[in-house]
Amino acid sequence: MEYRTIAAPVSASFVEKKSEFIAQLFPVRTQEDAVEAIENVRKQHRRARHNVYAYLLREGNASRYSDDGEPQGTAGMPILDVLQKNGLTDICCVVTRYFGGVLLGANGLVRAYSHSTALAIENAQVKVMLPCYPVSIQTDYALYGKIAYHLPQEDILQLDTIFEDQVELKLLVRDTLWEPLKKELIDLTSGQVEIVSGGLQYADFSKAKK
């Protein structure tokens, strides 16, 4: 089951009727990671009227949000909604508001918090995380070209190729492709290949060749 998250923290800001909204996105794995990110933003923006947050985690399929003093339903939930509609998880968003003295009203607040979150997502590098296996393929030089040519461009990330007594290719292979590819390589080389795989993990395949 694939999931989408972000590669690194990003931020975006805009001003609405003299109030400044600063959205910060963080990749997180656990509730502790999310709480730490929220506390760091609170320390960074101690003078702000509001530090509203929402986060989504794969761990326990958890989601949390807080309006942090804004009218109920006008801040945290809109942020969470934008994250969900973008299909993101393992992510925390904190939107800081410096109040400018002009009331925005409930609808204005919903729009402002949603818009600031969307702006930050636009600035983020989204990673498509797919289940895969780390795979090591060792073979003679005579078969290396045939194997390299046979490897599909999609659903594989080539990590390294080591040229020593034999050639070793280190790959990440999509879980759905692994078993058929293993059989194909054994057939292709008449069994003259050593293939070792590790445990299932997730990796970013958004840059895999299409």
Side-chain angles (χ1 to χ4, degrees), residues 14-31:
F14 83 106
V15 175
E16 177 72 14
K17 293 182 179 177
K18 299 183 180 179
S19 281
E20 183 180 16
F21 293 83
I22 306 166
Q24 297 187 69
L25 290 177
F26 304 91
V28 293
R29 292 285 185 89
T30 64
Q31 187 166 323

Side-chain angles (χ1 to χ4, degrees), residues 10-94:
V10 293
S11 64
S13 65
F14 83 106
V15 175
E16 177 72 14
K17 293 182 179 177
K18 299 183 180 179
S19 281
E20 183 180 16
F21 293 83
I22 306 166
Q24 297 187 69
L25 290 177
F26 304 91
V28 293
R29 292 285 185 89
T30 64
Q31 187 166 323
E32 290 74 20
D33 291 345
V35 169
E36 182 181 357
I38 294 162
E39 290 304 319
N40 286 339
V41 173
R42 283 176 173 158
K43 291 174 185 175
Q44 180 185 359
H45 294 287
R46 286 190 184 91
R47 297 181 181 178
R49 177 75 69 90
H50 308 281
N51 285 294
V52 176
Y53 70 80
Y55 61 84
L56 285 159
L57 301 172
R58 287 191 307 135
E59 182 180 83
N61 196 27
S63 62
R64 300 281 187 279
Y65 66 89
S66 167
D67 293 312
D68 194 33
E70 294 282 29
Q72 185 175 354
T74 64
M77 180 58 81
I79 293 172
L80 186 67
D81 187 54
V82 173
L83 297 178
Q84 290 173 327
K85 285 180 177 175
N86 280 270
L88 297 170
T89 190
D90 281 0
I91 190 166
C92 177
C93 180
V94 186

Side-chain angles (χ1 to χ4, degrees), residues 88-115:
L88 297 170
T89 190
D90 281 0
I91 190 166
C92 177
C93 180
V94 186
V95 180
T96 300
R97 180 190 181 190
Y98 284 94
F99 184 55
V102 179
L103 297 176
L104 300 183
N107 290 339
L109 287 172
V110 169
R111 285 194 298 270
Y113 281 104
S114 299
H115 181 59

